[in-house]
Amino acid sequence: GFYTVILEEKGDVATVATVRVHDGKVAELPLAATRFSHRRRGMCRLLVEELEKQLRELRVERLVFTSSAKCSGNMDQTRILQDDR
């Protein structure tokens, strides 16, 4: 499915992202955006960390960031979410 994830601070939308889950194994994050007034405060990092927790509970194995290299900043392109042990 295709989902929208929203991080709010004191009732104010800070960061939003779109997430697509493929076959329950791989999640794709093609877009994340932070409002100007909330930038440089780690809001996107908080959103991604919480998203990773939720995806682990759903047994999703990988999170792939598909934004362009110009926009991706310091994020890894793929994160492994499940340990294969």
Side-chain angles (χ1 to χ4, degrees):
F2 199 76
Y3 305 93
T4 302
V5 182
I6 301 170
L7 176 69
E8 293 182 349
E9 182 181 53
K10 298 178 184 175
D12 190 27
V13 174
T15 302
V16 297
T18 56
V19 180
R20 184 179 298 141
V21 180
H22 301 275
D23 298 325
K25 303 250 183 211
V26 177
E28 172 189 11
L29 188 99
L31 176 66
T34 300
R35 290 180 70 181
F36 186 77
S37 59
H38 293 279
R39 290 187 185 162
R40 308 293 304 164
R41 297 181 45 225
M43 294 296 180
C44 190
R45 179 183 50 80
L46 288 172
L47 183 137
V48 169
E49 287 174 356
E50 183 60 32
L51 176 60
E52 287 176 341
K53 283 191 240 176
Q54 299 297 320
L55 291 171
R56 280 187 196 100
E57 288 183 15
L58 295 171
R59 303 291 221 191
V60 173
E61 297 173 3
R62 292 180 187 265
L63 176 59
V64 180
F65 300 91
T66 57
S67 65
S68 70
K70 177 181 172 185
C71 296
S72 64
N74 61 0
M75 286 190 194
D76 298 332
Q77 291 295 91
T78 302
R79 293 196 186 171
I80 308 288
L81 300 177
Q82 296 294 325
D83 193 355
D84 289 339
R85 291 182 223 174

